[in-house]
C-alpha cells in the first residue's frame, strides 16, 4: 500500500521546543550554581535537536526519516561555493563593521584575534564547548525539522521571516543565565541585548540561503553556524561595533534575497518538501 503523505506540524513542534527549552533554562536561572546551571543549560540547548529527532523517527514516514539522514550524512553533495560564500559574506560584514566603527571613535585593534573568549561559559561548560554545542545542536533541531516544517506551507522568504522571529525570541532566557555570552551583553547595556535579538532576524535569511543552496543540508548549516559563532567570539569587536554589524547583516540579507528571488519567492516546493 502507498504510504500516507507526511503532514508537518510546525505549531506543535515549536510549542514543545519553547516549553522544554524555557523550562530547563528557567531551572538554570533559579538554581545557578555550577553543576545545576550546566545541567539546565545543556538540557535547554539540546531540546530542539532532541524534539526534532523524536518527531522524525517516531513518525511513520520513511520519506521523513530518509530525508533527515540525507541532510546530515550526505557530505559529498555539499556545494562548497555556497559554504565558502557564506564565510566570505560574514567576513566582509565584519570588516565593514569595524571600518565603519572607526568613524565613531572605535579602534582598528578590533581586527585582532583575542585570546580566550568574552564569556566564561555556564557552569561546568566552557565558552568553546558552549558555542560549539549551540551551533551543532541548534542546527539539528532547526534544520532537522523546524525550518522545513514552516517551508512546507510558505515560500522561503516568508519562512525566513517567521523562523527569524521564532529563533530570536527563543534566545530570550539566555540573557539571565549566569556565564553565558547573552547575560554578559545584557549587563553591559539592554540595548546590546535588543541588538542581538534584532540581528537574529536578518541572519535567518543568510542561514536559509546557505541551507537551501546546499540542498537543505544540516552539515552546511552547522559549518556556517560554527564559523559565525567563532568569528563573533575571536575577533575583538566591541559591542557598539556589533550594533553597526547588525546594519551590515541586514544589507547582506537584502542583497541575498534580491539576487536569489527565485529561491526565496518560488512556491514550487510548498507541499512537496520531501519530494
Amino acid at each position: 500500500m502507498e504510504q500516507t503523505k507526511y503532514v508537518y506540524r510546525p505549531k506543535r513542534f515549536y510549542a514543545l521546543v519553547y516549553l522544554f527549552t524555557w523550562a530547563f533554562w528557567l531551572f538554570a536561572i533559579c538554581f545557578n550554581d555550577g553543576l545545576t546551571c550546566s545541567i539546565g543549560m545543556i538540557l535547554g540547548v539540546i531540546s530542539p535537536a532532541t524534539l526534532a529527532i523524536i518527531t522524525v523517527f517516531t513518525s511513520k514516514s520513511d520519506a521523513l526519516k530518509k530525508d533527515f539522514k540525507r541532510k546530515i550524512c550526505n557530505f559529498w553533495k555539499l556545494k562548497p561555493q555556497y559554504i565558502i560564500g557564506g564565510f566570505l559574506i560574514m567576513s566582509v560584514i565584519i570588516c565593514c563593521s569595524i571600518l565603519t566603527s572607526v568613524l565613531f571613535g572605535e579602534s582598528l585593534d578590533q581586527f585582532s584575534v583575542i585570546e580566550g573568549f568574552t564569556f566564561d561559559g555556564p557552569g561546568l561548560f566552557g565558552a568553546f564547548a558552549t558555542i560549539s554545542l549551540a551551533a551543532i545542536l541548534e542546527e539539528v533541531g532547526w534544520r532537522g525539522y523546524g525550518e522545513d516544517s514552516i517551508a512546507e506551507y510558505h515560500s522561503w522568504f516568508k519562512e525566513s521571516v517567521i523562523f527569524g522571529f521564532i529563533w530570536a525570541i527563543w534566545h530570550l532566557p539566555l540573557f539571565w543565565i549566569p556565564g553565558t555570552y547573552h547575560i554578559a551583553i545584557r549587563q553591559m547595556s539592554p540595548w546590546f541585548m535588543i541588538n542581538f535579538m534584532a540581528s537574529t532576524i536578518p541572519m535567518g535569511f543568510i542561514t536559509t540561503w546557505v541551507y537551501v543552496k546546499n540542498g537543505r543540508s544540516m552539515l552546511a548549516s552547522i559549518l556556517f553556524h560554527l564559523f559565525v559563532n567563532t568569528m563573533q567570539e575571536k575577533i575583538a569587536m566591541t559591542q557598539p561595533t556589533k550594533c553597526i554589524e547588525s546594519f551590515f547583516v541586514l544589507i547582506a540579507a537584502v542583497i541575498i534575497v534580491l539576487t536569489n528571488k527565485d529561491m526565496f519567492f518560488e512556491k514550487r516546493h510548498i507541499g512537496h518538501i520531501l519530494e
Side-chain angles (χ1 to χ4, degrees), residues 9-269:
R9 294 179 172 83
K11 292 180 181 178
R12 183 182 69 179
F13 175 74
Y14 283 110
L16 289 172
V17 166
Y18 270 79
L19 174 64
F20 281 95
T21 301
W22 284 17
F24 288 128
W25 284 351
L26 180 61
F27 178 82
I29 293 168
C30 293
F31 303 95
N32 59 13
D33 64 278
L35 178 60
T36 306
C37 185
S38 293
I39 293 172
M41 174 66 180
I42 194 63
L43 289 176
V45 170
I46 69 174
S47 290
T50 302
L51 288 165
I53 291 170
I54 291 173
T55 300
V56 170
F57 289 99
T58 59
S59 75
K60 297 179 180 180
S61 172
D62 291 336
L64 184 66
K65 297 172 187 176
K66 183 179 179 180
D67 188 59
F68 185 95
K69 294 174 184 177
R70 175 195 65 79
K71 289 191 292 184
I72 202 165
C73 294
N74 288 11
F75 61 87
W76 57 89
K77 291 189 176 181
L78 295 178
K79 297 180 179 179
Q81 66 269 34
Y82 293 112
I83 299 175
I84 295 171
F87 294 170
L88 289 175
I89 287 169
M90 285 308 303
S91 298
V92 170
I93 287 171
I94 290 171
C95 289
C96 290
S97 302
I98 293 175
L99 291 173
T100 303
S101 74
V102 174
L103 301 175
F104 297 93
E106 297 294 327
S107 172
L108 283 174
D109 290 343
Q110 293 176 95
F111 279 111
S112 62
V113 177
I114 65 172
E115 294 183 9
F117 294 85
T118 61
F119 67 105
D120 298 327
L124 300 179
F125 287 89
F128 179 74
T130 300
I131 64 173
S132 299
L133 284 172
I136 296 169
L137 296 173
E138 280 188 50
E139 293 307 319
V140 172
W142 305 142
R143 256 48 77 170
Y145 186 87
E147 189 161 10
D148 289 350
S149 71
I150 301 174
E152 176 75 359
Y153 304 101
H154 302 287
S155 69
W156 287 109
F157 179 86
K158 190 171 182 180
E159 183 279 328
S160 298
V161 174
I162 295 170
F163 175 73
F165 278 98
I166 291 172
W167 191 25
I169 298 171
W170 178 79
H171 287 89
L172 196 58
L174 290 171
F175 292 97
W176 283 268
I177 296 180
T180 62
Y181 167 81
H182 305 76
I183 195 172
I185 63 173
R186 181 181 67 82
Q187 290 172 342
M188 292 180 196
S189 170
W191 290 110
F192 297 150
M193 168 184 165
I194 294 170
N195 174 67
F196 176 91
M197 299 280 283
S199 68
T200 303
I201 298 169
M203 181 60 73
F205 284 88
I206 303 176
T207 56
T208 295
W209 176 75
V210 173
Y211 173 64
V212 177
K213 285 295 186 179
N214 278 280
R216 295 170 40 251
S217 169
M218 274 188 274
L219 283 176
S221 298
I222 289 170
L223 290 172
F224 180 68
H225 200 149
L226 278 169
F227 180 81
V228 172
N229 281 2
T230 302
M231 291 290 282
Q232 293 301 300
E233 272 300 305
K234 300 306 290 182
I235 302 299
M237 287 191 296
T238 64
Q239 283 302 320
T241 300
K242 289 187 178 181
C243 292
I244 296 172
E245 181 188 33
S246 297
F247 174 72
F248 284 105
V249 169
L250 176 60
I251 291 176
V254 170
I255 293 173
I256 286 174
V257 170
L258 292 178
T259 54
N260 294 270
K261 288 183 180 179
D262 183 66
M263 190 204 95
F264 278 101
F265 294 102
E266 60 84 12
K267 297 182 179 180
R268 298 182 297 274
H269 70 276

